[in-house]
Amino acid sequence: MEQNYYQKEIETMSAEEMKKLQSEKLVKQVKHVYENVPYYRNLMDEKGVKTDDISGIEDLHKLPFISNADLRDAYPYGLLAKPLEDCVRIHSTSGTTGRRVVAFYTQNDVDLWEDCCARAITAAGGTKKDVCQVAYGYGLFTGGFGLNGGSHKIGCLTLPMSSGNTERQIQFMTDMQATILCCTPSYAAYIGESLKEQGYKPEDIPLKAGIFGAEPWTEEMRQGIEKTLGIKAYDIYGLTETTGPGVAFECSEQTGMHVNEDHFYAEIIDPDTGEVLPEGSKGELVFTSLDKEAFPLLRYRTRDICVLSRKKCSCGRTLVKMAKPMGRTDDMLIIRGVNVFPSQIETVLLKEGYEPNYQIVVDRVNNNDTFEVNVEMTTEKFTDKLSDIIGMEKSLANSMKIMLGINPTVHLVPPKAIARSEGKAVRVIDKRNLI
């Protein structure tokens, strides 16, 4: 296919020019963070690093890391680098406790984020002649707003559908002749199956491309979606902590995602030692926001395991590529696009008077994630009365939904029913085979 670029000068910039641009931005960003974020200034002071020690990208390794734990500790304003009156929006993701991670945006932050998403849509073949159906969730979740803004930047007719209501999705898709679909891969698969059940063949569907992210998905799942919808399916990567979708995006070659490295500098580190690893090594992905104003994160540990590559790409883009994440260094699960930590389950159980003896079982059935939580009853709560058990399960499921933002199926089991291994229960069983 003919290659299109949204910002060709940046997307095809030489490695030398990119490094110079990144270095200029990093020097300014470090000063901005040091002068305006006491939390991060203290981290730098503890490590003995001053702003004058950072003269370019080659000095990035001198800076301290920041993690999800820091974001929770600094909630809500501790990492804010701009006055609130300069901020125009927040987005949020759930944390490992009741504290959420809240990211702030200036108007310039929003503009740059939308540019990143516009690059992703353009790489998928999008132009102002396209109709872009955005079926990611809107609200505090970043997905809907990011792709919505990117679609506007290109000039597509944008259908801001949000997630759910599949009948309406199909109606607008067919009536408005949508050509690009943006949503989670599992929802794309569900839409495809729904269309098939209604008698649609791939050639009857107006779509030509899809941009899918926010949850892990396999190459087999990609091929299934492409076959059912008659499209080319593109991956997209992002984090609320750094901005949202558009940190990296896939091109027509489909061999990894190009990182928008004029805005986000990527490193791969040894997750145990923090040592920066050479290109091609598998390790933990770390991002530095080079020009985000309101919520700039320096050396943010994503906990995602992947590989970076500068191998020449047939699309002509010179932006470094990241492989699809191969796992995580923490215990976080991504279920239906939502971050779920086992510690969140424990928080709910303890609050509701249960012991933290439980097991999370995740599977993928017909391209949709299933989410079950088996919970041991305490001796005090134990009963064999079915109606009481059903009521207790519903109550626990509701409490978990409030905490997680996603609805699990809860099964109460007798005390000691969950097998222990060397005295410790296996907390998570993930049957999805996502790697």
Side-chain angles (χ1 to χ4, degrees), residues 176-193:
M176 304 302 294
Q177 292 291 290
T179 53
I180 299 173
L181 175 64
C182 304
C183 62
T184 61
S186 58
Y187 192 47
Y190 182 74
I191 290 174
E193 289 302 315

Side-chain angles (χ1 to χ4, degrees), residues 171-372:
Q171 179 191 345
F172 275 83
M173 179 184 295
T174 53
D175 290 352
M176 304 302 294
Q177 292 291 290
T179 53
I180 299 173
L181 175 64
C182 304
C183 62
T184 61
S186 58
Y187 192 47
Y190 182 74
I191 290 174
E193 289 302 315
S194 299
L195 283 162
K196 187 176 181 181
E197 288 172 2
Q198 292 184 22
Y200 288 94
K201 298 177 181 178
E203 57 268 26
D204 301 327
I205 303 166
L207 296 175
K208 68 177 184 181
I211 300 174
F212 308 130
E215 65 185 13
W217 52 311
T218 61
E219 187 61 31
E220 290 75 20
M221 188 173 181
R222 184 214 296 269
Q223 293 170 8
I225 292 170
E226 290 185 335
K227 182 178 180 181
T228 304
L229 292 176
I231 64 171
K232 192 164 178 120
Y234 297 81
D235 209 346
I236 191 168
Y237 177 90
L239 301 153
T240 300
E241 295 89 333
T242 52
T243 191
V247 171
F249 62 92
E250 205 168 36
C251 65
S252 56
E253 192 174 273
Q254 295 180 308
T255 56
M257 291 170 278
H258 290 285
V259 176
N260 281 311
E261 54 180 331
D262 55 320
H263 300 306
F264 310 100
Y265 187 82
E267 301 173 274
I268 295 292
I269 65 166
D270 182 314
D272 297 321
T273 67
E275 176 191 2
V276 179
L277 300 177
E279 181 188 318
S281 302
K282 184 169 77 170
E284 182 181 343
L285 181 63
V286 173
F287 276 120
T288 293
S289 301
L290 294 173
D291 45 19
K292 194 168 184 196
E293 296 176 338
F295 199 71
L297 299 184
L298 305 180
R299 304 199 82 195
Y300 177 69
R301 296 186 63 162
T302 68
R303 303 297 180 183
D304 284 328
I305 298 295
C306 78
V307 175
L308 296 177
S309 172
R310 289 199 175 275
K311 184 179 178 181
K312 187 175 181 180
C313 185
S314 60
C315 79
R317 290 175 180 81
T318 52
L319 301 171
V320 68
K321 274 186 180 178
M322 60 173 279
K324 184 186 288 288
M326 305 166 185
R328 292 183 59 82
T329 63
D330 60 13
D331 59 356
M332 189 185 85
L333 293 161
I334 301 178
I335 305 172
R336 302 176 207 150
V338 175
N339 297 349
V340 174
F341 293 85
S343 55
Q344 291 174 304
I345 304 292
E346 292 184 18
T347 298
V348 172
L349 293 178
L350 292 169
K351 185 178 179 181
E352 297 292 328
Y354 293 83
E355 295 296 323
N357 297 320
Y358 64 94
Q359 194 169 65
I360 300 168
V361 182
V362 186
D363 204 349
R364 184 159 284 172
V365 179
N366 296 326
N367 291 317
N368 288 303
D369 288 342
T370 61
F371 176 25
E372 299 180 5

Side-chain angles (χ1 to χ4, degrees), residues 4-67:
N4 295 314
Y5 308 97
Y6 177 70
Q7 294 168 317
K8 185 175 181 179
E9 183 179 350
I10 295 292
E11 295 175 61
T12 61
M13 184 177 281
S14 71
E16 295 76 19
E17 291 176 307
M18 181 61 73
K19 184 178 179 180
K20 181 181 178 183
L21 176 63
Q22 291 170 327
S23 293
E24 291 172 356
K25 288 187 174 186
L26 179 64
V27 170
K28 292 179 182 177
Q29 187 71 298
V30 170
K31 290 179 179 178
H32 172 56
V33 171
Y34 190 86
E35 293 170 2
N36 294 288
V37 184
Y39 188 97
Y40 201 81
R41 180 165 63 245
N42 291 336
L43 291 179
M44 288 180 63
D45 289 346
E46 287 173 10
K47 198 171 181 182
V49 183
K50 299 298 181 185
T51 55
D52 290 344
D53 296 331
I54 309 300
S55 57
I57 286 296
E58 64 277 3
D59 296 320
L60 184 63
H61 70 278
K62 299 177 182 177
L63 293 171
F65 294 110
I66 200 164
S67 69

